[in-house]
Amino acid sequence: MAARVGLLPICAFAAAHLALAASALAAAAPVRESEGREIRRNPQALANEDVAESPSDVNTLYYDLQFTQDEVRRLHGLVEELNHRIDRLESEQRERYIELDQRLLELRTGGGVVPPGEDVASDSNAAAAPVPVTEYEAYNVAIELVNTARPLPASEQRPQYQRAMGLFREIIKDYPNGEYTANAFYWIGQLHFALKEYEDARAMFTQVEALYDDHPKVPDALYKLGETYNVLGDTARAREYLNRVINDFPASTAAGLARKYLAELR
């Protein structure tokens, strides 16, 4: 009986230790939900899950990429179309300038003096008019001859242009200080250029620049010198004259053409 009583404290002490051990094991063991899934997770696995993208995110990114590529292709097409329109407008403007520069202005009813630098024309019967006796009339007849030759085939243009150049030379000879002398030099240059006689054209345009520095035809002559030197293969001189038009006559029509022509040379 005494031995049984002595064992009670020992049993109680052992039971307490067993209870503590059980609680420690319970704390160390992973806790599971009612469905049996483990709640405690590996930290590295959680990080990988945060980085990984769901299939829906990948699909969204692919759609955005496709949309961006389609938009780039559409914008590229618009740029190409705009460039084509700009080239066409520049070509039309250059042709319009040449046409306006070569066309005749109809002689106003009642006559009158036309300011130097403007090209003047008589009416449609100018070719049949009497032999001109003034500088003004001589200039109109020469310009009319140019205008009537412009729509002709190249083989028929040459003799007409040569006749016109002869009339312009007579103006220079008869009226060396006249109001239309600079215009006559310019037009001889234009006709040589049209006939692909570029050296002769260069010489005439240079006369306008050298002798009539304050004349309204100077910007046009400088621009034509730029074109002529480019055709002759001297691109450096061509740029020089085109830049002179832009710097010295920035508001002129020739300056606008010079900017476009210069851009094409670069």
Side-chain angles (χ1 to χ4, degrees):
M1 186 70 175
R4 185 178 300 177
V5 172
L7 289 174
L8 286 176
I10 295 173
C11 291
F13 178 78
H17 275 278
L18 289 174
L20 288 174
S23 63
L25 289 174
V31 180
R32 297 181 180 275
E33 296 179 351
S34 59
E35 296 177 355
R37 291 182 301 173
E38 187 174 317
I39 294 202
R40 294 177 61 191
R41 314 292 290 274
N42 188 319
Q44 184 62 38
L46 289 175
N48 291 338
E49 287 185 1
D50 290 340
V51 173
E53 296 180 349
S54 66
S56 61
D57 293 335
V58 174
N59 290 336
T60 301
L61 289 174
Y62 179 76
Y63 173 78
D64 290 343
L65 178 61
Q66 289 293 108
F67 178 81
T68 302
Q69 291 176 340
D70 292 341
E71 187 68 11
V72 169
R73 282 192 290 267
R74 185 182 70 83
L75 293 175
H76 180 72
L78 289 176
V79 170
E80 291 293 328
E81 181 180 355
L82 290 174
N83 285 336
H84 175 71
R85 291 183 180 179
I86 290 172
D87 292 340
R88 186 179 63 185
L89 289 174
E90 289 180 356
S91 177
E92 291 176 355
Q93 183 181 3
R94 183 176 291 110
E95 292 175 359
R96 192 178 302 117
Y97 170 77
I98 295 174
E99 181 181 359
L100 290 175
D101 193 42
Q102 295 182 347
R103 284 183 58 189
L104 303 172
L105 296 176
E106 293 184 358
L107 185 61
R108 295 174 182 149
T109 304
V113 178
V114 179
E118 293 188 7
D119 297 325
V120 193
S122 59
D123 57 22
S124 59
N125 296 321
V131 177
V133 294
T134 67
E135 179 192 10
Y136 173 78
E137 293 170 338
Y139 183 74
N140 282 328
V141 171
I143 288 292
E144 180 65 20
L145 187 59
V146 173
N147 240 18
T148 56
R150 287 180 60 242
L152 299 177
S155 59
E156 298 179 23
Q157 277 183 343
R158 176 172 287 275
Q160 294 287 81
Y161 283 170
Q162 289 174 339
R163 286 181 57 197
M165 284 191 284
L167 292 176
F168 286 125
R169 289 190 180 97
E170 289 181 8
I171 293 174
I172 295 171
K173 178 182 177 181
D174 296 338
Y175 307 95
N177 300 314
E179 292 181 320
Y180 301 102
T181 308
N183 297 56
F185 275 116
Y186 175 81
W187 273 103
I188 295 173
Q190 280 278 51
L191 295 176
H192 278 306
F193 192 92
L195 295 173
K196 303 185 187 309
E197 299 166 351
Y198 300 117
E199 281 292 349
D200 293 328
R202 182 197 61 77
M204 291 298 104
F205 295 135
T206 301
Q207 291 295 319
V208 180
E209 173 207 6
L211 300 177
Y212 307 93
D213 56 350
D214 59 346
H215 195 277
K217 274 296 179 187
V218 171
D220 299 331
L222 292 174
Y223 171 73
K224 292 302 296 186
L225 279 169
E227 279 193 323
T228 304
Y229 274 110
N230 184 51
V231 173
L232 290 172
D234 193 341
T235 307
R237 292 294 298 277
R239 288 196 179 98
E240 176 186 337
Y241 280 103
L242 293 171
N243 281 318
R244 282 187 59 186
V245 180
I246 296 169
N247 295 330
D248 297 346
F249 307 94
S252 65
T253 303
L257 291 174
R259 292 186 186 94
K260 294 181 177 65
Y261 197 86
L262 188 61
E264 295 173 0
L265 294 181
R266 293 175 178 171

